[in-house]
């Protein structure tokens, strides 16, 4: 479970890096913190999902086998275990949904407004 969480954090970081999302801390960009072995294995996968999202694909239209072929990880589905296939499928969703959240939360370029935030009782004026 720890390895899976670490992988998904790495995928989010690689996704943010692939769309040049700025970070607000003074350290290295978040993508630079991804271990080299995970970067080598998953960066093409992330780029393939990002490319499809930018071309207007919906989550329902994404096909894992096409993503893997584009990422150079072809091979047949029978070569993977059902667990590996499930993890890759969920990883594809994670990358896509990370991009969706960025689209929904970030103001358009050149906009002066802040990103929308949910109202949290007790945090606003008149507490």
């Amino acid at each position: 479970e720890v390895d899976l969480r670490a992988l998904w954090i790495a995928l989010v970081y690689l996704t943010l890096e692939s769309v040049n999302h700025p970070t607000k801390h003074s350290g290295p960009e978040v993508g630079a913190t991804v271990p080299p072995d995970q970067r080598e294995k998953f960066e093409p996968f992330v780029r393939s999902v990002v490319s499809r999202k930018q071309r207007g694909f919906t989550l329902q239209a994404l096909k894992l086998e096409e993503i893997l072929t584009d990422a150079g990880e072809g091979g047949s589905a029978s070569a993977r275990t059902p667990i590996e296939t499930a993890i890759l499928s969920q990883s594809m969703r994670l990358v896509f949904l990370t991009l969706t959240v960025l689209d929904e939360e970030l103001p358009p370029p050149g906009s002066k407004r802040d990103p929308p935030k949910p109202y949290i009782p007790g945090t606003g004026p008149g507490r």
Side-chain angles (χ1 to χ4, degrees):
E1 187 177 326
V2 171
D3 290 341
L4 182 59
R5 288 181 190 189
L7 168 63
W8 284 348
I9 290 169
L11 289 172
V12 170
Y13 287 177
L14 288 171
T15 303
L16 295 174
E17 179 185 67
S18 73
V19 296
N20 299 316
H21 180 69
T23 56
K24 292 184 178 182
H25 64 86
S26 60
E29 293 296 319
V30 292
T33 64
V34 175
D37 59 322
Q38 284 185 334
R39 174 179 292 281
E40 182 179 328
K41 184 173 183 179
F42 291 102
E43 191 171 38
F45 176 85
V46 168
R47 275 187 277 144
S48 184
V49 176
V50 169
S51 172
R52 280 179 162 66
K53 170 83 164 116
Q54 290 172 339
R55 292 184 308 193
F57 279 69
T58 63
L59 181 57
Q60 293 75 21
L62 291 180
K63 303 287 182 238
L64 180 60
E65 290 306 317
E66 292 174 4
I67 298 287
L68 293 174
T69 299
D70 282 358
E73 297 179 32
S76 69
S78 61
R80 287 187 299 277
T81 68
I83 295 292
E84 290 171 325
T85 301
I87 288 171
L88 286 169
S89 179
Q90 291 303 316
S91 296
M92 180 181 69
R93 293 173 190 271
L94 176 71
V95 171
F96 191 91
L97 293 174
T98 299
L99 296 167
T100 300
V101 167
L102 287 175
D103 288 346
E104 291 174 354
E105 294 297 316
L106 293 178
S111 172
K112 302 268 189 235
R113 70 176 175 84
D114 288 332
K117 295 184 172 97
Y119 174 72
I120 301 172
T123 61
R127 334 180 220 181

